[in-house]
Amino acid sequence: MAFPLNRPRRLRRTEVLRRMVRETRLSPDNLIQPIFVCPGRGVFNPINAMPGVAQLSPDMALREAREIAGAGVPAVILFGLPQHKDAIGSEAWSDNGSVQTAIREIKEHVPDLAVITDVCMCEYTDHGHCGAVKDGDVDNDATLELLRREALSHARAGADIVAPSDMMDGRVGAIRAVLDENGFARVPIMAYSAKYASAFYGPFREAAESAPKFGDRRSYQMDPANGDEALREVALDLQEGADIVMVKPALPYLDLIWRVKQEFKVPVAAYNVSGEYSMIRAAGINGWLDERRAAMEVLVGIKRAGADMILTYFAKQAARELNG
Ligand code: PBG
C-alpha cells in the first residue's frame, strides 16, 4: 500500500480538507496571560528584554485585564513587585500589596476573568532567592511558612487559583492545609511541579526584578538533564493535593509535557516562558522570521505535546488571531 496508492498530499490540497483532518486545535480557552503588577497608579513601565510587555500598576493591570478578557482569554496570572524588599519578603503577604490590590480590582470589575497568582518569594526578597536564606542556601521548611502566608493573602483578596513556583519540597501540602483551615477549600492549586533551572527565565527577571543577588537557583529548581525526576515531582504534588500540574519552560521540555500527560491524565499546564517569548519577538523585530506564524506554531506544538493550558506572553495576541 505504498506510493502511488498512498498519497498523503491528497488531504493537504485545500484548506477545507486540511481543516477536516486537523488533529490539534488551539483555542483561546487554552491560554493564560501573565501580568506584572507594580505599586503606584498610572504606571506603565515597559520591559526592555520583553518588547510588548510592561510592569503595570493595579489600575493599569485592570485595564489590561479588560482587554485580555475581551480577546476571549479566560485567565491571567499575576506577578507582584513590592514597594520594599527585605530578607524574608514580608510584602508578599501584605493585604495592600500590588498583587492583592490588583486581584480585588479585577474580581470587582471583570469577574468572569479567572485570576491566578504566582506564589513565590523571589520578587519580594532583597537577595532575590525564592525563600528565606540560611547559611547561603534557601531554608526549605522555614520558607513553607512564608509561602503559606502569601497564598492565604492571595486567597483572601479573591484569587481563583494559587500557583506556587518556588520549588520548595512540601509546599503544595503546606499551602493546601492553610487554605483548607481558613475556609478556602474551594481554591485550586496550580503547582509549578517540574520547574527547571533555566536560562530562559532571563527576561522575566528584569520584568519581576527578581534576579538572585548571589549564586543561582540550582539547589531548588530542576536539572535540565532529568526527565524521570519530573514525573516524581508531579506525583508528589498530586499526592499533596495539586489540582493542575505544570511543566516549565515549555519548548526544551516538550517530552515532559507528553510524559506527564500520558502518565497522570490530569490537567497539565505548560509555561512558554519569557525567554521563549523574547527570542521570537527579537527575530520578528529583526525581520528574521514571521513572528505571528512562529508564535502560533509554538503554541499549537505545546498543545499537541499534551498541554491543556499554556501560560504565554502571546496569549492576548494569539486569542485575537484565533478569533479572526
Ligand atoms: C518565580 C518565577 C519565575 C518565573 C515564573 N515564576 C522566575 C524564576 O524562577 O527565576 C519565570 C517565568 C518566565 O520566565 O516567563 N520563581
Side-chain angles (χ1 to χ4, degrees), residues 50 79 118 120 122-123 130 165-166 192 195 200-202 204-205 210 217 221 248 271-275 313:
M50 301 180 74
F79 295 90
D118 184 83
C120 195
C122 59
E123 301 98 316
C130 300
S165 70
D166 51 283
Y192 286 71
K195 177 173 177 179
F200 290 94
Y201 307 152
F204 172 97
R205 291 179 186 171
S210 66
R217 304 211 200 290
Q221 298 181 349
K248 175 189 176 185
Y271 203 139
N272 178 222
V273 301
S274 56
Y313 302 94

Side-chain angles (χ1 to χ4, degrees), residues 12 16 88 133 238 258:
R12 296 179 199 141
V16 70
I88 58 165
V133 170
L238 290 171
W258 174 261

Side-chain angles (χ1 to χ4, degrees), residues 16 40 159 163 171 192 276 297 312:
V16 70
R171 89 273 205 218
Y192 286 71
E276 298 174 307
E297 185 176 334
T312 175

Side-chain angles (χ1 to χ4, degrees), residues 22-45:
R22 190 157 290 146
E23 297 174 35
T24 307
R25 255 168 245 277
L26 188 66
S27 156
D29 289 340
N30 303 128
L31 306 176
I32 299 170
Q33 175 80 47
I35 301 180
F36 296 100
V37 189
C38 63
R41 273 195 72 78
V43 181
F44 178 92
N45 187 14

Side-chain angles (χ1 to χ4, degrees), residues 1-10:
M1 286 290 275
F3 179 81
L5 269 183
N6 269 13
R7 289 178 180 270
R9 286 182 59 191
R10 283 183 197 120

